[in-house]
Amino acid sequence: MTAQSTDFSNINQSSAQSFKAQKNLIKQLLAGKKVPCPKCQQTLSATLPPAKSTSELASIRCPRGCTDIELETELPGK
C-alpha cells in the first residue's frame, strides 16, 4: 500500500455494522416491541404517515432527539 492509497476496509466494516444495528432496531420497533434509544435509553416511537396523506416519510425518534431516523415509505397505488 502506498502513502496515497487509502484503506477503506475499517470504514466499510463500521458502516455495515451500523446499518445492521439500525435495521434490527427498525424491525423490532415495527414488530411492536419497546426499543430503547441506544444513547439515552428512552423508548423510541415510530410515526407513520396517515392513510390518505401524500407524504411518503415515516420516522423513528426518541423524546430527546438523539435518535432520529427517517424512513421512506411506498404508498399503495403508486
Side-chain angles (χ1 to χ4, degrees):
M1 184 183 323
T2 65
Q4 289 187 333
S5 69
T6 305
D7 181 14
F8 288 104
S9 61
N10 287 338
I11 295 170
N12 291 340
Q13 183 178 7
S14 175
S15 291
Q17 288 174 341
S18 176
F19 177 80
K20 286 179 184 178
Q22 199 172 67
K23 182 178 169 183
N24 189 37
L25 181 143
I26 293 166
K27 284 172 67 175
Q28 288 181 354
L29 188 65
L30 294 180
K33 295 182 181 178
K34 286 189 177 186
V35 179
C37 171
K39 294 190 183 199
C40 70
Q41 301 303 311
Q42 291 195 8
T43 303
L44 297 175
S45 64
T47 305
L48 302 174
K52 297 187 182 205
S53 170
T54 57
S55 173
E56 295 184 7
L57 288 180
S59 64
I60 294 176
R61 294 188 171 96
C62 82
R64 290 189 181 171
C66 42
T67 297
D68 187 3
I69 303 169
E70 285 191 348
L71 305 170
E72 195 172 308
T73 60
E74 192 171 309
L75 298 174
K78 281 198 170 186

